Amino acid sequence: MAMAAFRREGRRFAPLITPRPIAAVRSSPIPGEQALLGVRSISTQIVRNRMKSVKNIQKITKAMKMVAASKLRAVQTRAENSRGLWQPFTALLGDAPKIADWLKLLHSSLEDYFGQSTPIWALLGAGVDVKKNVIVTISSDKGLCGGINSTSVKISRALHKFTSGPEKETKYVILGEKAKAQLTRDSKKHIELCITELQKNPLNYTQVSVLADEILKNVEYDALRVVFNKFQSVVSFAPTTSTVLSPEILERESEAGGKVGDLDSYEIEGGETKAEVLQNLSEFQFSCVLFNGVLENACSEQGARMSAMDSSSRNAGEMLDRLTLTYNRTRQAAITTELTEIISGASALEG
């Protein structure tokens, strides 16, 4: 009975009650931003917590930059020394790593890019058209290193587009977790082999040669297109493609007087046939190119990570400056409000 009477009384006085919305408190520390629903300032505790989190992030990015710089110094010398491994093959087999404006080529046709009808294999080291292409994409296992992995994936997709056809077959071999994650989304059926955690331990030539042997055992190819980022400086890297032809294609081009070099002008010792020599040369060339590509890409990764972490540290510092200014303004506004209330109360008592 009492509850029923209370509800009836509530209905009688309900129209007389003016609804007042509850003011929402915003935690945005942006100076000069208008607060909603009459809230004059934000809580200083919120700003202190935000400042603390930004300081912690800045410490992490600075530490990551120092770690990347240390790793870069360790691997840069090895990468520069490894460039001499593939250079003898340039004169013998007619291949050299190619650096081109691939990102521009992605958005235009070959005729627009070169001004004439140019076959795509003219860009890919040895100028030979083949039926079975295998694109070896080298990337990193970790992120926070700028756009080096996206660049390698874009070039690999462009190569797949230009080397595919009705009578051609193109497959992927992926080295690195980041390229695997991107290419799996739209090219899963074309992926032949994936190898990850390459940079978990420092690589030497023996380990890379084992990886190269594993790749050669699991794929059928006429040409291997190795895609990696060539290290130039801490803030610069160049997307690069290097081509390794199969022994059969090398022998065919040699007999036809192609661009792979005049192998008959060299004296073969040890009683091996020409086919056996070409087999050994092709496998050794691939292991050398792969070793150089892995080291070059590792250098580019650490250099890009240094740049990214340096930018992040600077951005955190700028954000910390803005937060400090906001905190000081908020604290000063609270102090001013309290002083005004004290003076007003004292004046009221005196009057």
Side-chain angles (χ1 to χ4, degrees):
M1 294 294 292
M3 292 299 296
F6 182 80
R7 283 195 292 269
R8 286 195 299 271
E9 294 298 323
R11 282 195 295 271
R12 286 179 57 194
F13 292 100
L16 302 178
I17 300 174
T18 302
R20 297 186 63 183
I22 300 175
V25 178
R26 300 191 66 188
S27 61
S28 175
I30 301 176
E33 186 176 3
Q34 295 293 331
L36 294 179
L37 300 177
V39 177
R40 292 183 300 173
S41 62
I42 61 177
S43 171
T44 55
Q45 182 64 37
I46 295 174
V47 181
R48 281 200 301 268
N49 292 338
R50 185 70 181 275
M51 290 171 63
K52 184 178 179 181
S53 65
V54 172
K55 285 181 181 178
N56 292 335
I57 292 173
Q58 189 179 40
K59 290 178 182 178
I60 293 172
T61 54
K62 286 182 177 180
M64 291 184 67
K65 177 186 175 182
M66 294 175 63
V67 172
S70 176
K71 291 183 178 180
L72 177 61
R73 285 193 296 268
V75 75
Q76 184 176 356
T77 303
R78 298 174 59 209
E80 292 173 351
N81 293 336
S82 68
R83 294 173 185 173
L85 291 175
W86 54 261
Q87 290 175 354
F89 295 102
T90 302
L92 182 62
L93 303 179
D95 175 48
K98 294 291 181 180
I99 300 174
D101 192 356
W102 288 100
L103 298 182
K104 182 178 179 181
L105 184 60
L106 286 173
H107 304 289
S108 62
S109 64
L110 289 173
E111 290 77 6
D112 295 336
Y113 186 72
F114 292 97
Q116 57 184 353
S117 181
T118 304
I120 183 62
W121 52 86
L123 304 175
L124 307 178
V128 181
D129 184 20
V130 295
K131 303 300 181 182
K132 294 182 179 181
N133 290 276
V134 175
I135 302 172
V136 183
T137 305
I138 302 176
S139 68
S140 65
D141 290 315
K142 298 180 181 179
L144 299 177
C145 52
I148 65 169
N149 296 314
S150 299
T151 302
S152 297
V153 170
K154 288 178 181 178
I155 294 173
S156 299
R157 285 172 176 161
L159 285 175
H160 188 277
K161 175 183 176 181
F162 291 132
T163 56
S164 299
E167 298 180 356
K168 296 181 180 181
E169 182 183 9
T170 304
K171 296 290 185 180
Y172 287 114
V173 172
I174 301 174
L175 277 67
E177 189 67 40
K178 292 301 177 179
K180 175 185 174 183
Q182 295 187 47
L183 290 173
T184 301
R185 290 198 292 265
D186 58 353
S187 305
K188 187 174 182 180
K189 63 180 180 179
H190 300 298
I191 297 176
E192 193 75 17
L193 182 64
C194 292
I195 301 173
T196 58
E197 297 186 358
L198 286 179
Q199 301 297 330
K200 192 173 183 179
N201 297 309
L203 288 176
N204 54 34
Y205 177 77
T206 302
Q207 294 170 322
V208 175
S209 63
V210 172
L211 293 177
D213 187 59
E214 184 72 17
I215 293 172
L216 295 176
K217 287 180 180 179
N218 286 276
V219 298
E220 295 181 0
Y221 70 97
D222 291 333
L224 292 162
R225 318 290 190 184
V226 184
V227 179
F228 59 95
N229 293 289
K230 184 179 177 62
F231 178 77
Q232 293 181 331
S233 68
V234 176
V235 295
S236 176
F237 59 90
T240 305
T241 297
S242 183
T243 301
V244 178
L245 300 176
S246 66
E248 295 79 10
I249 300 298
L250 286 174
E251 187 172 5
R252 186 191 72 185
E253 291 298 314
S254 177
E255 292 175 355
K259 297 182 179 181
V260 297
D262 188 8
L263 297 178
D264 294 331
S265 61
Y266 295 89
E267 182 179 355
I268 301 175
E269 298 180 354
E272 294 182 339
T273 62
K274 185 177 181 180
E276 293 174 342
V277 171
L278 289 175
Q279 175 79 23
N280 295 333
L281 283 175
S282 178
E283 294 179 358
F284 183 58
Q285 180 192 15
F286 178 57
S287 63
C288 292
V289 169
L290 188 64
F291 181 59
N292 174 249
V294 169
L295 292 180
E296 294 278 1
N297 201 79
C299 277
S300 301
E301 175 191 352
Q302 300 304 332
R305 183 169 288 117
M306 281 183 61
S307 300
M309 293 302 102
D310 183 59
S311 299
S312 299
S313 299
R314 289 199 304 269
N315 292 338
E318 294 174 0
M319 183 179 293
L320 194 58
D321 292 339
R322 293 196 298 269
L323 287 170
T324 303
L325 183 60
T326 302
Y327 175 76
N328 292 334
R329 285 179 175 176
T330 303
R331 187 169 56 88
Q332 188 63 41
I335 293 173
T336 303
T337 302
E338 292 178 2
L339 289 174
T340 303
E341 292 173 354
I342 292 171
I343 294 172
S344 299
S347 300
L349 291 176
E350 293 176 358

